[in-house]
């Protein structure tokens, strides 16, 4: 027994107008200060005007949102008692808003204990609309919540099937002004979702097609979206790919690159998409040396039109294609390229390994490293050396 | 020789396996909390059996079949029908999927679980290593 969860996805030019159809008396927008400054939050507020709802705004979500921010946002929601929670932003905002939603409905809960095992009984007070302003997180179409425990310097992979948004609105105009670096970071996050969703131990028939198509769209359109953000066709396809990848990996889980990326982000604050995409080629090399019957790189590489005579060649083809794409977009290919000093990496290695090994996504990999192998993976990613163990 | 499940001998065999496991020691080094494994009837198992494990920083300090269920309250309880336990222990069902779909019900401090998923996985891995005779 397993499940496939999805929001209602409203997409394409003018999708934002869907907001006027929402029925209720009160809505709260959750966002960040930068999007307020860019006028994005005001656009959402304007789009909500025909609904006649009273609209309040919480705009204090920071990158890599903390458990404390989630508690503060939940207090805001409890104060205003909304029937709709409208999250507007990138993955940090959407994930934080999901956490706030849980605490709004269940003030008794510890946000670090939001889990997929218990029944939370959400939607007694509010429903949830996700409006992504980046093209990669996929959070608008997953129930995953990544929050940062600042005290432990650790990102926590949390979530419940109930924290799937009710509605996801993809309006390409909202991402037209996304800067090239953010477009590349988030687009490669989507590619990592697609690859890991297709190859994780929880892969399934419902998600395979989504992951394959998302990977193809990213390879085809991301370079143009980065080169010319005003190309609406490229923007639309990368935006769609991000949500499609979200639906894919959100129902089949991510894997090792996410476990390592979360650990890195919690300590060195490398942006999520940049971190997971940087690790992806290394984790493919590592995973490809596992049990042959668990591997799915050949089908993936074949679909992408890459050399794919066997699993080994397919994994190598994928690694090469991912590195070439990331390199062409000016992305770092090693941890050294990220500006991390070797001494800092070595000083933090024990915590990096501990957090990566304890991450909820690491255990979804079809080959799980031990502590020593995890350390060697971080070192390989630092130096840019092939993984041959 | 196969050990009947669920039984006092079986949980003691699992304790031995856990305490010999380097990977469990590594994965559960921060774990503090005892467990009740509740096995509901099925096949020739006619009554619910509760097995206790005291898990502490990568080691199992004690394990036994509980003579009078309900007398003590452990930090965590993992409960399910013996048929589901068998599927998990014979690797026919992923333990995480078993819990996420409610086939095995886990109760306790979920914040601890979410920070120690690897320990939980290693714990179930240990079950799969015991040569077990099932009542169905």
């Amino acid at each position: 027994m397993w499940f496939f969860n999805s929001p209602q996805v409203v997409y394409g030019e003018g999708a934002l107008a869907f907001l006027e159809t929402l029925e209720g008396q009160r809505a709260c927008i959750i966002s960040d200060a930068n999007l307020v400054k860019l006028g994005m939050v005001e656009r959402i507020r304007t789009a909500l005007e025909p609904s006649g709802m009273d609209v309040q705004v919480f705009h204090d979500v920071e990158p890599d949102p903390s458990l404390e921010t989630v508690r503060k946002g939940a207090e805001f929601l409890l104060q205003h008692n909304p029937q709709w929670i409208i999250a507007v932003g990138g993955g940090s905002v959407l994930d934080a808003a999901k956490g706030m939603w849980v605490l709004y409905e269940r003030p008794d809960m510890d946000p670090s204990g939001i889990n997929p095992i218990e029944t939370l009984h959400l939607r007694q007070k509010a429903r949830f609309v996700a409006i992504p302003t980046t093209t990669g997180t996929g959070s608008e179409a997953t129930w995953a919540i990544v929050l940062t425990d600042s005290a432990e310097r650790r990102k926590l992979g949390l979530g419940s099937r109930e924290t799937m948004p009710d509605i996801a609105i993809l309006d390409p105009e909202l991402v037209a002004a996304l800067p090239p670096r953010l477009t590349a970071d988030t687009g490669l996050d989507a590619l990592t979702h697609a690859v890991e969703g297709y190859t994780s131990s929880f892969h399934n028939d419902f998600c395979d097609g989504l992951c394959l198509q998302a990977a193809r769209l990213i390879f085809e359109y991301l370079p143009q979206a980065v080169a010319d953000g005003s190309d609406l066709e490229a923007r639309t396809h990368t935006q769609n790919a991000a949500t499609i990848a979200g639906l894919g990996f959100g129902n089949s889980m991510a894997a090792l690159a996410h476990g390592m990326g979360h650990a890195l982000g919690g300590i060195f604050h490398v942006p999520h998409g940049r971190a997971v995409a940087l690790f992806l080629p290394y984790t493919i090399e590592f995973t490809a040396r596992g049990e042959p019957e668990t591997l799915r790189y050949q089908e993936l590489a074949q679909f992408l039109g890459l050399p794919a005579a066997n699993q080994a060649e397919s994994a190598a083809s994928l690694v090469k294609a991912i590195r070439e794409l990331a390199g062409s977009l000016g992305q770092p290919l090693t941890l050294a390229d990220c500006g991390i000093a070797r001494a800092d990496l070595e000083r933090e290695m024990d915590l990096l390994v501990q957090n990566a090994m304890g991450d909820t996504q690491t255990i979804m990999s079809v080959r799980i490293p031990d502590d020593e192998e995890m350390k060697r993976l971080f070192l390989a990613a630092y130096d840019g050396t092939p993984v041959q163990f | 020789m196969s050990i009947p499940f669920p039984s006092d001998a079986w949980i003691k065999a699992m304790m031995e396996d856990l305490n010999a496991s380097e990977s469990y020691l590594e994965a559960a080094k921060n774990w503090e909390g005892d467990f009740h494994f509740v096995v509901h009837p099925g096949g020739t198992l006619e009554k619910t059996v509760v097995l206790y494990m005291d898990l502490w920083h990568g080691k199992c300090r004690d394990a036994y079949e509980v003579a009078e269920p309900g007398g003590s309250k452990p930090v965590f309880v993992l409960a399910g029908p013996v048929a589901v336990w068998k599927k998990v222990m014979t690797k026919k069902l992923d333990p995480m999927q078993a819990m996420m779909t409610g086939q095995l019900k886990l109760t306790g401090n979920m914040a601890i679980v979410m920070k120690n998923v690897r320990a939980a996985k290693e714990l179930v891995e240990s079950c799969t290593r015991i040569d077990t005779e099932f009542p169905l």
Side-chain angles (χ1 to χ4, degrees):
Chain A
M1 179 167 65
W2 192 231
F3 304 91
F4 184 89
N5 290 80
S6 169
Q8 178 182 15
V9 181
V10 185
Y11 65 97
E13 282 182 74
L16 210 52
F18 182 82
L19 285 173
E20 69 185 49
T21 68
L22 299 186
E23 294 180 355
Q25 287 78 48
R26 294 172 303 281
C28 282
I29 296 173
I30 308 296
S31 192
D32 63 40
N34 192 42
L35 289 172
V36 171
K37 202 165 72 181
L38 292 170
M40 205 74 84
V41 170
E42 195 50 41
R43 286 180 71 172
I44 306 301
R45 190 195 275 275
T46 303
L48 276 165
E49 264 173 19
S51 73
M53 283 194 279
D54 173 64
V55 178
Q56 302 292 327
V57 179
F58 178 91
H59 55 73
D60 291 338
V61 179
E62 75 279 33
D64 299 338
S66 67
L67 297 170
E68 191 48 42
T69 296
V70 167
R71 289 192 187 95
K72 273 174 58 184
E75 281 172 23
F76 178 87
L77 295 175
L78 285 163
Q79 192 182 335
H80 295 288
N81 199 25
Q83 293 141 323
W84 288 96
I85 296 167
I86 300 171
V88 183
S92 293
V93 167
L94 303 191
D95 284 8
K98 290 178 190 172
M100 292 170 194
W101 180 28
V102 173
L103 267 62
Y104 171 50
E105 304 250 4
R106 289 283 308 274
D108 59 303
M109 280 198 74
D110 172 352
S112 67
I114 298 171
N115 70 86
I117 296 170
E118 290 175 303
T119 303
L120 302 181
H121 300 291
L122 299 190
R123 296 177 173 80
Q124 306 298 310
K125 294 179 177 176
R127 288 194 285 159
F128 192 98
V129 180
I131 306 177
T133 58
T134 60
T135 51
T137 168
S139 181
E140 68 279 5
T142 77
W143 46 264
I145 302 173
V146 179
L147 301 176
T148 297
D149 184 330
S150 308
E152 293 189 9
R153 296 196 299 153
R154 177 179 176 183
K155 288 191 177 187
L156 301 173
L158 307 167
S160 155
R161 280 195 305 280
E162 293 177 64
T163 53
M164 174 66 80
D166 295 285
I167 299 165
I169 298 179
L170 315 180
D171 191 323
E173 285 190 17
L174 293 180
V175 296
L178 195 64
R181 178 59 49 230
L182 205 47
T183 304
D185 280 344
T186 56
L188 290 171
D189 186 17
L191 179 62
T192 309
H193 293 156
V195 172
E196 294 211 306
Y198 189 77
T199 56
S200 82
S201 61
F202 275 25
H203 69 80
N204 59 74
D205 288 350
F206 286 86
C207 298
D208 283 354
L210 295 164
C211 292
L212 291 172
Q213 176 67 355
R216 181 152 71 183
L217 288 171
I218 290 293
F219 272 112
E220 192 170 344
Y221 289 102
L222 183 60
Q224 178 61 12
V226 173
D228 178 8
S230 66
D231 184 330
L232 209 58
E233 185 190 4
R235 282 291 191 201
T236 300
H237 283 300
T238 50
Q239 188 179 42
N240 292 347
T243 302
I244 292 167
L247 285 170
F249 97 95
N251 287 286
S252 64
M253 305 297 123
L256 192 48
H258 270 75
M260 295 179 73
H262 289 161
L264 186 78
I267 295 170
F268 289 105
H269 308 292
V270 176
H272 172 80
R274 195 177 303 169
V276 298
L278 185 153
F279 285 123
L280 184 61
Y282 302 97
T283 60
I284 290 174
E285 287 177 328
F286 176 79
T287 307
R289 299 171 76 87
E291 296 295 323
E293 66 274 14
T294 66
L295 304 178
R296 310 187 83 214
Y297 296 119
Q298 194 167 11
E299 291 170 54
L300 179 54
Q302 278 170 351
F303 185 80
L304 295 170
L306 301 171
N310 51 47
Q311 290 291 351
E313 184 185 67
S314 304
S317 301
L318 271 171
V319 165
K320 184 167 179 283
I322 293 165
R323 286 207 173 109
E324 282 175 358
L325 175 62
S328 73
L329 302 177
Q331 294 294 100
L333 302 179
T334 68
L335 294 180
D337 292 344
C338 291
I340 296 170
R342 190 178 191 93
D344 292 338
L345 181 83
E346 288 174 353
R347 191 185 65 246
E348 301 287 5
M349 185 60 86
D350 287 349
L351 186 58
L352 275 172
V353 169
Q354 180 179 310
N355 290 352
M357 292 301 294
D359 192 89
T360 51
Q361 299 308 297
T362 296
I363 62 166
M364 301 300 171
S365 177
V366 294
R367 185 181 178 212
I368 301 172
D370 61 24
D371 283 20
E372 183 56 30
E373 288 168 331
M374 183 63 88
K375 182 178 175 181
R376 293 174 70 189
L377 278 168
F378 276 112
L379 290 172
Y382 188 87
D383 294 326
T385 51
V387 175
Q388 294 174 325
F389 53 91
Chain B
M1 193 180 75
S2 299
I3 305 171
F5 176 86
S7 66
D8 190 70
W10 189 92
I11 199 70
K12 284 186 165 58
M14 186 172 159
M15 176 169 77
E16 197 176 317
D17 181 88
L18 278 182
N19 287 336
S21 167
E22 284 297 319
S23 53
Y24 179 72
L25 178 64
E26 198 171 81
K29 59 190 169 198
N30 296 320
W31 185 275
E32 296 177 358
D34 53 356
F35 254 98
H36 270 178
F37 297 102
V38 181
V39 186
H40 294 306
T44 57
L45 182 69
E46 292 179 349
K47 66 178 179 65
T48 293
V49 173
V50 179
L51 305 175
Y52 174 83
M53 283 200 124
D54 179 7
L55 302 171
W56 191 261
H57 294 271
K59 289 290 176 187
C60 179
R61 300 191 298 193
D62 198 6
Y64 53 84
E65 181 178 344
V66 178
E68 291 183 23
S72 61
K73 284 205 162 103
V75 177
F76 298 98
V77 176
L78 185 59
V82 68
V84 175
W85 282 104
K86 182 180 178 183
K87 278 190 204 171
V88 169
M89 290 159 62
T90 54
K91 297 195 170 184
K92 300 274 193 321
L93 175 62
D94 181 278
M96 296 306 291
Q97 288 193 346
M99 290 188 280
M100 289 165 74
T101 54
Q103 296 175 78
L104 286 181
K105 295 193 191 323
L106 176 64
T107 53
N109 185 333
M110 299 309 292
I112 295 176
V113 175
M114 293 305 287
K115 287 181 178 176
N116 291 279
V117 287
R118 182 180 163 219
K121 191 173 172 70
E122 287 293 338
L123 188 69
V124 180
E125 280 294 319
S126 169
C127 294
T128 68
R129 291 192 291 265
I130 314 291
D131 186 4
T132 301
E133 179 189 329
F134 294 97
L136 69 169

